[in-house]
Amino acid sequence: MLKILAFAGSARKNSFNKAILKIAVQGAIDAGAKVTVIDLADFPLPLMDEDLEAKSGVPANAQKFKQLMMEHEGLLIASPEHNSAYSALLKNTIDWASRREEGEKPLEVFKGKVAGIMAASPGALGGLRGLVSLRMLLENIGVMVLPNQKAVSKVAALINEQGGIDDEQTIAGLKRIGKELAETMAKLNRQ
Ligand SMILES: Cc1cc2nc3c(=O)[nH]c(=O)nc-3n(C[C@H](O)[C@H](O)[C@H](O)COP(=O)(O)O)c2cc1C
């Protein structure tokens, strides 16, 4: 079965991006994919620093995250927009995961993966500008990004008391990202 790793670029407990990710994950599961959802709050890392790396090596959490990356063919990523770009947490995690061990080809951990991306923001653009930079980053490291993406604007007004979203149009748009990812992965996997 095709496997997808899903995570948000926010460590915040009540993250809006974690909320939208959950819905896209359901879309992927409904389309037949197996999805592992992780919380980057469980993978705390120091800021990338090559002196620190030379002294102490790649942190255990980065190795754990990288191992998960290697075990999955697809990615579902929901990232907050911070000053018009994807989050520093997301970049730092990817930077650590990109460090290679002996014998490993450059960016081997990312190459050939397919990703569905989304963002949520209380603002009017829904994190759309952050998705532009996230798409560029992912494609530059060898990840194919689905043409469709989803930015959920004014998200605070859509969140219910349980931290979920009831708006049907928003749910359909997010589930579609998960579904398209699962379907694209299945097509690519066909002999
Ligand atoms: C440093 C910082 C910069 C931000 N810049 C933007 C921005 O450029 N555009 C935007 O829509 N929201 C911006 N926000 C607001 C975030 O969209 C908001 O905090 C959102 O809830 C973060 O996502 P999360 O709920 O998943 O943690 C910024 C927030 C922070 C902390």
Side-chain angles (χ1 to χ4, degrees):
M1 192 186 268
L2 295 164
K3 288 182 289 176
I4 294 170
L5 184 65
F7 51 94
S10 170
R12 199 167 75 84
K13 194 163 155 265
N14 296 319
S15 159
F16 296 133
N17 284 280
K18 288 182 194 172
I20 65 163
L21 180 73
K22 228 183 193 174
I23 300 170
V25 163
Q26 194 54 54
I29 292 170
D30 293 346
K34 186 176 184 318
V35 187
T36 308
V37 183
I38 58 167
D39 187 336
L40 293 188
D42 297 328
F43 297 77
L45 288 166
L47 273 180
M48 182 68 221
D49 172 347
E50 288 185 77
D51 286 341
L52 176 71
E53 185 186 23
K55 201 169 117 202
S56 323
V58 173
N61 279 337
Q63 289 176 23
K64 269 194 239 166
F65 176 80
K66 186 173 175 179
Q67 183 59 35
L68 281 166
M69 274 269 180
M70 290 192 292
E71 289 166 3
H72 295 77
E73 299 87 25
L75 304 171
L76 271 175
I77 306 176
S79 180
E81 179 178 279
H82 284 167
N83 296 308
S84 309
Y86 56 82
S87 70
L89 170 67
L90 182 54
K91 181 65 159 60
N92 193 50
T93 306
I94 288 174
D95 285 348
W96 275 117
S98 72
R99 305 305 282 164
R100 345 179 223 161
E101 282 172 27
E102 230 181 281
E104 200 180 319
K105 292 188 193 113
L107 303 172
E108 194 177 318
V109 65
F110 303 113
K111 281 189 177 155
K113 295 206 190 307
V114 192
I117 58 173
M118 70 214 84
S121 161
L125 295 180
L128 192 62
R129 293 169 302 181
L131 291 181
V132 175
S133 59
L134 179 58
R135 177 177 294 278
M136 193 180 75
L137 160 79
L138 291 171
E139 290 183 345
N140 283 337
I141 60 175
V143 177
M144 286 176 271
V145 184
L146 293 182
N148 275 328
Q149 57 187 25
K150 179 77 182 162
V152 181
S153 57
K154 303 205 184 303
V155 68
L158 295 175
I159 294 285
N160 62 28
E161 275 182 20
Q162 293 73 44
I165 290 176
D166 299 318
D167 181 65
E168 282 181 16
Q169 211 181 334
T170 306
I171 292 172
L174 289 165
K175 279 193 171 174
R176 188 172 159 212
I177 299 295
K179 180 175 184 276
E180 281 187 8
L181 177 62
E183 289 175 351
T184 304
M185 287 166 64
K187 279 182 198 159
L188 288 170
N189 206 41
R190 252 176 236 152
Q191 300 298 318

